[in-house]
Amino acid sequence: MLASCSLNYEVTKKEIHNNSPELLFQTAIFNRYENNKITVSVSAEKIEQYTSNTSYAKQAYFDFWNDRNERELTGSCRLLGMQTYKNLFTLYDDIQITDIKNKSEIQASALKWNSEKKSLVSDKSKIVRLSKKSMEIEGTCFSADGETNSFEFTAGVTGTIHLEDKVE
């Protein structure tokens, strides 16, 4: 009686692409342009880009510009997931965002930004802190609309609003 066995030691392309970045950059700066104008700039300690058009940035700093080439938003986080072709950005850990135009600041540990819809949403269980002019609010279930410059917390809200006395 004769027996044979064949083992396949070859790693498939699919396995490689799922686990390894296609490109890896150290101390990198990426700029995104539309109609010859910068729209997004990301600098990071490390950026990994995958074939699925998804990138991850470690210790990321970012800026967003408007159509008039004015910087509108600046911020940082420890980890940034970017699906640029879908206009989706997921931010994690020590998030600091400054809305320059509206003079407001946001601090959080997990947020999702859709740059096409101009919407920012938090994880339902994570606390978000918002400071704007004389107001400091924190809560969960945060969402903000960049088109209307409005925001809402739908759970666990606390805060302080400082009113100035007008002297006549």
Side-chain angles (χ1 to χ4, degrees):
M1 178 176 243
L2 203 60
S4 70
C5 179
S6 175
L7 297 175
N8 183 358
Y9 293 98
E10 185 179 323
V11 177
T12 65
K13 285 184 179 181
K14 188 174 182 179
E15 290 174 33
I16 292 171
H17 291 299
N18 286 339
N19 297 326
S20 302
E22 179 181 33
L23 299 169
L24 178 63
F25 304 95
Q26 302 286 340
T27 315
I29 299 173
F30 280 108
N31 295 322
R32 179 177 172 183
Y33 290 86
E34 294 176 18
N35 300 319
N36 293 322
K37 293 181 182 178
I38 190 167
T39 58
V40 179
S41 178
V42 176
S43 63
E45 181 179 293
K46 181 167 122 178
I47 297 177
E48 298 175 353
Q49 185 172 346
Y50 293 83
T51 55
S52 62
N53 288 325
T54 301
S55 301
Y56 296 95
K58 181 180 178 185
Q59 299 295 17
Y61 297 87
F62 50 87
D63 295 295
F64 286 82
W65 280 267
N66 62 22
D67 292 338
R68 295 176 306 280
N69 209 30
E70 301 166 332
R71 192 167 49 139
E72 286 189 323
L73 193 79
T74 186
S76 63
C77 61
R78 284 193 186 166
L79 181 64
L80 173 62
M82 299 171 282
Q83 295 177 317
T84 55
Y85 292 104
K86 293 182 180 180
N87 296 306
L88 299 175
F89 301 85
T90 308
L91 300 83
Y92 298 101
D93 298 327
D94 291 333
I95 300 165
Q96 305 280 330
I97 299 173
T98 301
D99 182 336
I100 298 166
K101 180 182 173 184
N102 296 307
K103 299 178 183 175
S104 61
E105 294 183 10
I106 295 173
Q107 297 175 341
S109 61
L111 293 171
K112 290 182 182 178
W113 168 252
N114 182 320
S115 62
E116 184 178 348
K117 296 179 180 179
K118 295 193 176 188
S119 65
L120 183 66
V121 192
S122 74
D123 182 296
K124 292 180 181 181
S125 64
K126 303 292 184 184
I127 293 175
V128 175
R129 289 178 183 84
L130 173 69
S131 301
K132 188 174 182 173
K133 297 181 183 177
S134 58
M135 173 178 56
E136 294 178 22
I137 299 173
E138 71 177 46
T140 56
C141 296
F142 172 81
S143 63
D145 184 330
E147 289 290 329
T148 62
N149 293 320
S150 62
F151 66 91
E152 73 176 338
F153 290 92
T154 57
V157 181
T158 61
T160 305
I161 297 174
H162 301 279
L163 300 174
E164 294 181 22
D165 293 331
K166 290 188 178 183
V167 179
E168 293 182 29

